[in-house]
Amino acid sequence: MPSSPKKRRRTPRQVVRGVRRRARRAAGGVRRVWRRSLQLRVVTSTMVISIAVVAVLGVFLMQQIIATTLQDRERAARSEAQADRNAVLGYLNRPSGDVSKPSVDSGDGLQRGGDSPLSQAVYALAGRAGAVPRYSVIARNDNQPGEFFVTPNIDPRSIPSGLREEVSKKEAGEDSTHYGDLYYEGRREPVRGMVIGTRLDTSGTMLDSGYEIYHLIPLDKEEETLNSVLRMLVAVGAALVLLLAAIASLVTRQVVTPVRLTRQAAERLAAGRLDERLKVRGEDDLARLATSFNDMAANLALKIHQLEELSHVQRQFVSDVSHELRTPLTTVRMAADLLYDAREDFDPMAARSAELMQNQLNRFESMLADLLEISRYDAGAAELDVDPVDVRDVVLRAVADSEALAERHSTRFDLRLPGEPCMAEMDSRRVERILRNLLFNAIEHGEGRDIVVSVGADRDAVAVAVRDHGVGLKPGEENMVFDRFWRADPSRARTIGGTGLGLAISREDAVLHGGWLQAWGAQGEGSQFRLSLPRVAGAPLRGSPLSLVPPEVEMRRTWRGHMTPVLSPAVADGGNDAD
């Protein structure tokens, strides 16, 4: 049994690149969805704003609840502490023999105790706090540093040194409050709580002034209550945000759905389905939009139908006239040929008239041929006769046909052909006609300067560029040159006698091949026309092997862009003039 091929292990760098590629793809998908979905943007914006508002309100409410809860608890604790201090003063002001020790076990949690008045007072406070103490008490006597008493299980570490210093600095009877951790014996984790400390006001009594008493109030129940309130606020806030998002989605959908339907109808209308209409419901703005859309579609369909009929009539008229003119033109041609051949027997005026008639008949026949060709394109009857040919041969034949005209205008061709064959599937007759039209156009507008003809090829396409150094084109004229009977300068006389349809037919020929015919031009720098065709007939054309802008122009512009910032205005202007 043959062994299965081992999978090639990917390197860490390849893994990282793959992750980045997937991340970029996912981010691109999210951006596309974000840009295309109005409803998603509205709902997301509503959720973000709602979360911000709910968060701010929640924080404000929580702060108010916490402040109110702690204030109420502190007020109650201060009241109880004041009552306890009065009770302690009563115990401390009695003779020790008048106070009986409470009947409690030794395991009640009191520490360092005996029958002293301070111990008896703390016993009494333990009874006031109840079976489950609401608070704990630590009592001290500064005159006897080792004497302090605490109620059950409280650890003296609960009183920070900073609080003791603050209590010692204040007047007797004034409270000092501290929020912190309370430590209990037998319990690992501390409890958040509040400590209220004061020095007893023993003025007017027989006692010294060294007594301090600290009430330690645990806030665990309040903390549990606040945590419950916080969880409730979070749950209510989340529910409110989701509810607002649902409301925003519902409201947005009521607006977006008609707009989406209108967009889909507009796309179908643009695709040629002129019978597309929207359903009108109600009398609101969206209903009026649908009505206006339907009226626009109806008027557009009517106008298109009228234009189609007019265009059909025009095409039929051009075709009929072109065919009908062939018969009288043939008769006139025969008579003109006889007159032209016998012009040497005529007087000079008549001979010149025969020559002019011959030239104009030639132009008229050319125009009729172009009109017939245009009518075939308009009727969709043009077809290709495709064969694999070498583009260089087609270019050489077109140049050969243009040599005589170029010599009359003192123009020379500069051919830049590759050394290897440039094979492509094309209708050589139509491509040769395109090139002849481009060469004739370059000769007429090249002002006698050299015309550069370049051929390029890559794996998918071939291209031919015809470059002249004449007057050039104004901005925006790159596409207008292919319009029928268009002339850049109407006052400029035709030196070749073209029909005005050559470039229009050339573009139709290029489109019929699935290619491009493009123009570039700038005043004072001449113009360039580029024909790009796919190597395989019917294949899509994605690019051209030749640049539309001449390389020397591109290089000069790049050089100017780099050099102008470092040159003075006068030098820069002088350089431009030199160009």
Side-chain angles (χ1 to χ4, degrees), residues 521-532:
Q523 288 184 309
E525 294 186 347
S527 60
Q528 177 165 291
F529 288 78
R530 182 185 66 182
L531 173 65
S532 305

Side-chain angles (χ1 to χ4, degrees), residues 73-375:
R73 189 69 182 92
E74 184 177 349
R75 190 180 301 110
R78 287 180 181 275
S79 177
E80 292 180 353
Q82 181 64 37
D84 290 344
R85 287 196 297 270
N86 293 334
V88 169
L89 284 175
Y91 275 94
L92 295 179
N93 202 24
R94 294 178 185 180
S96 60
D98 294 341
V99 181
S100 61
K101 183 177 180 179
S103 59
V104 295
D105 299 341
S106 61
D108 59 0
L110 293 174
Q111 301 177 0
R112 307 277 181 91
D115 294 334
S116 67
L118 188 59
S119 175
Q120 296 172 5
V122 173
Y123 272 115
L125 294 183
R128 290 169 62 89
V132 181
R134 298 186 303 276
Y135 53 87
S136 302
V137 178
I138 294 180
R140 291 179 176 275
N141 188 352
D142 283 348
N143 296 327
Q144 299 179 9
E147 184 180 8
F148 66 89
F149 301 92
V150 298
T151 54
N153 299 329
I154 192 68
D155 192 327
R157 289 186 303 158
S158 302
I159 303 177
S161 58
L163 179 62
R164 292 198 61 196
E165 293 178 359
E166 185 178 351
V167 170
S168 64
K169 293 178 181 179
K170 285 192 173 184
E171 296 291 336
E174 293 185 1
D175 293 333
S176 295
T177 305
H178 171 77
Y179 289 92
D181 295 330
L182 304 183
Y183 297 91
Y184 291 88
E185 295 180 357
R187 190 168 181 174
R188 294 181 179 180
E189 297 180 356
V191 177
R192 295 293 296 175
M194 176 175 56
V195 182
I196 299 177
T198 187
R199 287 191 301 116
L200 293 179
D201 186 6
T202 57
S203 59
T205 66
M206 300 176 61
L207 302 174
D208 54 27
S209 60
Y211 292 101
E212 297 175 359
I213 186 167
Y214 297 90
H215 288 74
L216 297 90
I217 298 92
L219 299 177
D220 51 351
K221 294 182 180 180
E222 286 78 4
E223 187 174 3
E224 291 178 0
T225 302
L226 292 175
N227 288 335
S228 300
V229 172
L230 178 61
R231 288 192 294 269
M232 184 179 299
L233 284 177
V234 171
V236 172
L240 181 60
V241 169
L242 294 177
L243 180 61
L244 291 175
I247 294 174
S249 177
L250 180 62
V251 173
T252 307
R253 186 174 182 179
Q254 293 179 352
V255 177
V256 171
T257 299
V259 174
R260 185 179 294 121
L261 293 176
T262 304
R263 188 259 303 169
Q264 294 172 355
E267 290 177 351
R268 290 190 290 269
L269 185 66
R273 297 174 57 178
L274 301 179
D275 57 344
E276 187 67 29
R277 297 294 184 273
L278 291 174
K279 293 182 180 179
V280 180
R281 298 175 181 176
E283 298 179 356
D284 55 7
D285 293 335
L286 294 175
R288 290 198 293 271
L289 174 62
T291 302
S292 300
F293 178 87
N294 292 338
D295 295 340
M296 179 195 68
N299 293 331
L300 183 61
L302 178 61
K303 294 297 182 182
I304 291 177
H305 180 69
Q306 292 175 351
L307 290 175
E308 286 178 348
E309 290 184 347
L310 178 60
S311 178
H312 176 71
V313 171
Q314 288 178 342
R315 288 196 300 267
Q316 189 65 36
F317 174 77
V318 172
S319 179
D320 293 343
V321 168
S322 301
H323 282 90
E324 292 298 329
L325 287 177
R326 285 237 175 234
T327 300
L329 181 61
T330 302
T331 304
V332 174
R333 164 60 70 181
M334 294 173 59
D337 289 341
L338 290 175
L339 293 175
Y340 184 76
D341 294 338
R343 67 184 184 281
E344 295 180 356
D345 300 332
F346 301 155
D347 59 85
M349 186 65 69
R352 178 58 180 166
S353 299
E355 292 176 357
L356 291 176
M357 182 173 63
Q358 184 75 5
N359 293 334
Q360 294 303 316
L361 279 174
N362 291 335
R363 183 182 178 188
F364 190 46
E365 284 183 339
S366 178
M367 183 178 295
L368 277 180
D370 289 345
L371 287 174
L372 286 173
E373 189 69 20
I374 285 291
S375 65

Side-chain angles (χ1 to χ4, degrees), residues 19 23 101 113 229 234 263 319 380 399 463 468 474 503 520 538 547 561:
V19 171
K101 183 177 180 179
V229 172
V234 171
R263 188 259 303 169
S319 179
V399 170
D468 67 71
K474 298 178 182 178
L503 292 179
W520 168 89
S547 173

Side-chain angles (χ1 to χ4, degrees), residues 436-458:
R436 281 199 305 270
N437 286 329
L438 296 181
L439 292 173
F440 290 170
N441 182 76
I443 293 171
E444 181 174 4
H445 298 90
E447 297 183 344
R449 299 175 184 174
D450 291 351
I451 296 175
V452 180
V453 182
S454 305
V455 177
D458 57 19

